[in-house]
Amino acid sequence: CMTGAMYPATDVTAGEKERGTLETVLCCPVGRTELVFGKFLMVFSASIGTVVLALLSMVATLQLAKRVLAGAAPAEALQNIATIDIGGLAGVFLMMLPVAAMLSAALLMVGLFSKSFREAQSYCGPLMLAAMVPAIAAMLPGVELNASLAMVPLLNVSLVSKEMMAGTWHWQYILLIFGSACLYAAVAQTATVWMFRREEVLFRS
C-alpha cells in the first residue's frame, strides 16, 4: 500500500512545488484543511487500489499454483499451501485501511517538507525500508502476536493478518490493533494538516 501511495503523494506536494502550481492551488477559495483532505483522499485511493490488486494477485497466484502442481505434489501438502480463507482475506483488507491512511499521510508530510520531487524520493527510500522491516519481522519464526507487539505500528497488522489468513481470529488483539492503527492514522493526518498550514514548511528554501 505504501508503494501505490508514494508517487501520487510526492506529485501532489513536491511535484506541485516544482511546477509552480502550489501557489495557484492555495489561491483557490478552499480552506487548507479541505485541500489536505482532498490530496489525502487521492493518495489514499491509490494506496487502497494497490492493496486490492495485491490481494487479488495473491489469490490468483495460489489458484494457479494449485493447478500447475496438481498431481506433482501430495494432496495434503497441496491443500495446505493453496488454501486461503476468504474471511481472512476480507479481514486483512479491513486492517489495511488505517495502515494505508497512516502511510498516505506520512508520505504527504515527506512531500510537503521536500523542496523538490527528487528530494522527496530520496526521503521515501529510507521510509520504505522502515516500513518493510516490521512486515518482514512478522514472518520470522518465533515472532508471535501478543499484547506488547499489538501496539507496534505495522508489525501488529502484519502479525494479525498472518493469523487471519490462517483462519485464526484473536478478537481482543484484532480490536486493539485496529484501534491503535486508527489512532496512528489520525495523528499522522493531524500532523499533515499542521504542516500544510505552515508557510515556512510549504515554501522551504
Side-chain angles (χ1 to χ4, degrees), residues 152-168:
V152 180
L154 301 181
L155 177 60
N156 53 6
V157 175
S158 298
L159 288 171
V160 78
S161 296
K162 183 173 66 173
E163 297 286 339
M164 289 190 295
M165 291 293 288
T168 305

Side-chain angles (χ1 to χ4, degrees), residues 86-191:
I86 300 301
L89 197 68
V92 170
F93 175 76
L94 292 176
M95 296 300 295
M96 289 303 299
L97 292 177
V99 173
M102 179 184 69
L103 293 177
S104 297
L107 289 168
L108 281 174
M109 283 191 286
V110 169
L112 287 172
F113 181 77
S114 304
K115 301 176 186 177
S116 64
F117 194 92
R118 179 170 294 181
E119 182 180 349
Q121 285 185 315
S122 67
Y123 291 148
C124 286
L127 187 60
M128 174 71 77
L129 182 62
M132 288 175 59
V133 169
I136 296 173
M139 305 305 296
L140 296 176
V143 181
E144 299 295 336
L145 184 61
N146 54 48
S148 299
L149 295 181
M151 298 301 294
V152 180
L154 301 181
L155 177 60
N156 53 6
V157 175
S158 298
L159 288 171
V160 78
S161 296
K162 183 173 66 173
E163 297 286 339
M164 289 190 295
M165 291 293 288
T168 305
W169 298 79
H170 299 290
W171 287 106
Q172 69 277 18
Y173 291 142
I174 291 174
L175 295 176
L176 178 61
I177 291 170
F178 188 81
S180 62
C182 288
L183 177 62
Y184 299 145
V187 171
Q189 185 61 36
T190 302

Side-chain angles (χ1 to χ4, degrees), residues 12-119:
V12 299
T13 51
E16 285 197 347
K17 290 183 182 181
E18 281 193 334
R19 292 190 296 269
T21 57
L22 184 60
E23 292 84 352
T24 306
V25 172
L26 293 175
C27 290
C28 295
V30 181
R32 294 287 180 96
T33 302
E34 287 77 10
L35 286 174
V36 172
F37 276 106
K39 293 176 181 293
F40 167 78
L41 287 175
M42 192 277 286
V43 176
F44 179 71
S45 299
S47 181
I48 290 301
T50 305
V51 171
V52 171
L53 290 175
L55 292 176
L56 292 177
S57 175
M58 181 177 61
V59 172
T61 301
L62 290 176
Q63 293 302 318
L64 180 61
K66 189 173 183 179
R67 292 184 180 181
V68 171
L69 298 177
E76 296 80 5
L78 188 62
Q79 184 177 6
N80 290 334
I81 293 174
T83 297
I84 189 168
D85 185 74
I86 300 301
L89 197 68
V92 170
F93 175 76
L94 292 176
M95 296 300 295
M96 289 303 299
L97 292 177
V99 173
M102 179 184 69
L103 293 177
S104 297
L107 289 168
L108 281 174
M109 283 191 286
V110 169
L112 287 172
F113 181 77
S114 304
K115 301 176 186 177
S116 64
F117 194 92
R118 179 170 294 181
E119 182 180 349

